[in-house]
Every structure is written in C-alpha cells, then in structure tokens.
Amino acid sequence: MKKSDFYYDLPGELIAQDPLLKRDDSRLMVLDRNTGGIKHDIFHNITDYLHPGDLLVLNDTRVIPARLLGVKEDTGAAAELLLLRNRGNDVWECLVRPGKKLRPGARVSFGDGRLRAEITELAEEGNRLAKFSYDGIWEEVLDSLGEMPLPPYITHKLEDRDRYQTVYAKYEGSAAAPTAGLHFTHELLRAIEDMGAGLAYVTLHVGLGTFRPVKEDDVMKHHMHTEWYEVSEETAAKINAVHQSDSGRVICVGTTSCRTIEASARETHDSADASKWQIVAGSGETDIFICPGYEFKMTDALITNFHLPESTLIMLVSALAGRNNIMRAYETAVKERYRFFSFGDAMFIT
C-alpha cells in the first residue's frame, strides 16, 4: 500500500471553519460497507439507523487549552508551546515553535510571568520536555492563559471553547477533540437510550498522532505515536456482553474509541476451544495502527467525520469499509458539498 492510494482532491472551501449553530444539524452520510451503498441524511436522525441492543462506545476525554503563546525570556522573541502529554511533576512533552530556538536551557514566559517553562530535554520526533513553574492551581493557570489547540486547517477564531468539546467530555488530557462526538447533544444521547441502544465510555487522550502526517510512501513503515487510554470494568463488561451475545452491534463513535477497544481486545478460548475476543479492562499506552488488511476484533460499525487525504484516519476507515468504498464515498461527499474535518459533517459506516 502506498500513501498515494489514500489521496483525494478536496477543494479548500469544503473545510469547515466554524461549528454549526446546532451540533446535530450536521449532515450524515450512511455507508453500507458490504454493498457500498450510500444514503444522505441529517445527524439528528442517527436513531433511524440504530437498533435496540446496539452499544455506542464514546471517548470521554476532555481537551485542555494546550496552546500557550509566550516569549523567550532572554530575547523577548515570540515562542509557542503545544502541550501533548503530562509526564508528571509539572513536566510536559510539547511541540514547540520555533524549534531551533527552543533548545534545552531555553526559558519561556507566559502571561507576564504568571507561568514559566524551561526546556529540559529533547524528546522523540523533535518534541521537547518542558518543566513548568507557577503560583496557584495548574488547571486555573492553564485555563486563563492557554488557547484551544485547533488544527492548523482551521483559521477562524473559536468564539466558544465548549464547541471543541463533546457534551460528555470528562477527563482532561487531550491535545485535540475526538471530533466524531461533537455531533451529539444531551437530548440525542437520551433519545438513543430511550430507543433501547446503550452507551459506554472509554478514555483516550488524543496526542501527537493527530498532528503528524504519514511521511513514508510505504504505509506499513509508518509508526504511530503512543497515546494513553483507559477502559473501565463496566465498559468492558458492556462491550463483551453485546459482542458475545450477538444481540446488537458495537458501534464506535470516532476513530479514537475504535483504536481504544481494538487495542484492549485479547484472544480467549471457550470450552470448545474456539477462539474468541473480549475486551480487557485496564489502562496503558497504545500505538495501534489500523490500515487495510487489519481484522477488526470488536468493532462492528463506526460513526466518524471526513478525514484528511493520506492520513492514518482515512486508512483506518478504509480498513473497516474497504478502500474502494471509502474513496467513492469521499468523491461523493465532495460532489455533494459535504463539510470536512473537525467541524464538518459525519459518516456512519454500517
């Protein structure tokens, strides 16, 4: 597989710059992965495509205001840090700009000195480790000085921070939103439960992989950066019950939820010595890379957004639905003027 196998031509005006006034007013493309058939709808009608017994798995990570704009203390030159991962003891792994000027020993000040950072170490892929110092409570300082880390293709200012959070966001730690979940409202989640489908939550803090393009032309040479995840005993039990009873579908809301449960799947054997898969509760790091040829263990269907050309995410959806189906669907989405990427429209792969 070549990276170019996952390229499609996207007019720039189709990249959604702002969220819709109502979250669930986005368009919904329903793709049948067995036939390649496509239907067009509105997201608030997602219940028309769900069945009693289905289980939706959602990522309840919460985005932190991880973009910090400051100045180098020795020169006053502008500097930017993007928090990626908390290493503990006020040390964070960061993306930095300008990289050549922020070497170990460099000091950056934010908010007239309310927050300071010293670059202590070079990390993988050109990242930096930074030690922060401040007075008060870290979360309050960060909330007052940090900005939401919107992807580089969004150039408009976000007026309401909450629109880059899901309504069920709970555990802080992400450098980017699990954007498939942005379409859900509290009312829609209640309607899903009222119709007999279930909800389960996992946590995966979205990290570096979101910002790194695939550089290798040979897809199989690409290496995913690790991200931290957690699956509770309750969620594992819910997923295993649906999977083992065949009473419904395990439907992942977003590629991060999909990667989490696939990374948590372990092979077991029943009394007839037939191999089965089940989710094992726990937490850890995952660098799972899902691309065509991957055999899904737990995921039956996926709700997702439209992804960047040649990205690991379009490779993941191609693994589930088939590359040809996905590329035809994306061609249709462009023709039908769907809105793309983080604040864009949704696809339900059934």
Side-chain angles (χ1 to χ4, degrees):
M1 282 182 299
K2 300 296 184 183
K3 180 174 69 171
S4 57
D5 292 337
F6 302 91
Y7 176 80
Y8 66 94
D9 189 31
L10 179 68
E13 66 267 18
L14 296 186
I15 299 174
Q17 292 294 321
D18 303 289
L20 295 178
L21 186 62
K22 292 185 64 179
R23 290 175 181 263
D24 57 359
D25 274 351
S26 54
R27 296 171 72 185
L28 176 67
M29 177 185 286
V30 182
L31 173 63
D32 186 322
R33 61 191 176 109
N34 295 313
T35 67
I38 291 173
K39 294 180 181 178
H40 304 285
D41 211 324
I42 304 298
F43 196 84
H44 57 67
N45 293 329
I46 188 76
T47 51
D48 292 345
Y49 305 96
L50 302 176
H51 313 299
D54 285 344
L55 180 69
L56 275 66
V57 182
L58 307 101
N59 182 6
D60 60 9
T61 187
R62 187 171 185 84
V63 186
I64 60 174
R67 186 173 181 234
L68 289 165
L69 304 176
V71 296
K72 286 192 66 189
E73 290 189 351
D74 56 349
T75 65
E80 178 180 339
L81 273 65
L82 178 63
L83 307 180
L84 292 174
R85 181 180 303 184
N86 187 350
R87 293 292 194 91
N89 297 317
D90 292 320
V91 174
W92 284 77
E93 183 176 347
C94 308
L95 285 174
V96 302
R97 185 186 299 172
K100 291 182 179 180
K101 301 294 185 180
L102 294 175
R103 311 293 293 180
R107 296 175 182 270
V108 183
S109 177
F110 309 92
D112 296 323
R114 290 177 56 201
L115 177 66
R116 288 187 165 90
E118 179 181 357
I119 306 301
T120 60
E121 192 177 326
L122 299 178
E124 293 180 23
E125 312 242 5
N127 296 342
R128 305 289 192 272
L129 297 187
K131 173 75 172 180
F132 287 89
S133 58
Y134 51 91
D135 291 324
I137 299 172
W138 164 255
E139 289 79 9
E140 293 178 356
V141 173
L142 184 62
D143 189 60
S144 65
L145 298 178
E147 297 181 3
M148 294 302 275
L150 295 178
Y153 49 75
I154 294 178
T155 58
H156 292 189
K157 181 177 176 59
L158 181 64
E159 299 299 332
D160 180 0
R161 281 188 181 185
D162 285 342
R163 293 309 308 273
Y164 197 56
Q165 303 278 18
T166 63
V167 298
Y168 48 82
K170 189 173 183 180
Y171 299 107
E172 292 194 340
S174 268
T179 54
L182 296 179
H183 305 283
F184 288 88
T185 64
H186 291 297
E187 294 77 15
L188 184 55
L189 292 171
R190 281 195 293 269
I192 289 169
E193 290 187 296
D194 287 345
M195 64 161 290
L199 304 175
Y201 295 91
V202 297
T203 305
L204 182 137
H205 292 324
V206 188
L208 184 63
T210 300
F211 300 93
R212 293 293 188 195
V214 177
K215 296 179 180 179
E216 301 283 353
D217 190 44
D218 181 351
V219 167
M220 299 310 296
K221 292 182 179 178
H222 178 71
H223 174 66
M224 294 285 284
H225 199 272
T226 59
E227 294 168 310
W228 184 89
Y229 73 91
E230 184 169 32
V231 179
S232 68
E233 293 280 359
E234 179 185 5
T235 290
K238 286 183 177 181
I239 296 173
N240 289 332
V242 171
H243 186 71
Q244 292 164 6
S245 67
D246 227 9
S247 59
R249 298 168 295 175
V250 176
I251 302 170
C252 289
V253 176
T255 57
T256 60
S257 298
C258 176
R259 292 180 66 242
T260 301
I261 71 167
E262 292 297 317
S264 303
R266 301 291 184 269
E267 194 169 16
T268 62
H269 298 277
D270 63 16
S271 58
D273 201 35
S275 295
K276 285 189 174 183
W277 292 89
Q278 68 175 19
I279 297 293
V280 175
S283 62
E285 305 275 349
T286 180
D287 61 356
I288 187 172
F289 177 31
I290 297 176
C291 62
Y294 177 84
E295 293 187 11
F296 286 84
K297 315 302 188 298
M298 308 300 294
T299 304
D300 298 314
L302 177 69
I303 298 170
T304 187
N305 280 16
F306 291 89
H307 304 295
L308 276 72
E310 300 184 334
S311 64
T312 60
L313 303 184
I314 196 171
M315 294 172 191
L316 184 153
V317 296
S318 295
L320 183 64
R323 192 191 75 87
N324 290 340
N325 285 342
I326 287 295
M327 301 315 290
R328 279 196 301 268
Y330 273 58
E331 181 180 341
T332 300
V334 171
K335 182 179 178 181
E336 296 293 329
R337 310 291 291 178
Y338 273 68
R339 302 166 74 247
F340 279 69
F341 306 160
S342 295
F343 288 139
D345 295 316
M347 174 187 285
F348 186 15
I349 301 173
T350 66

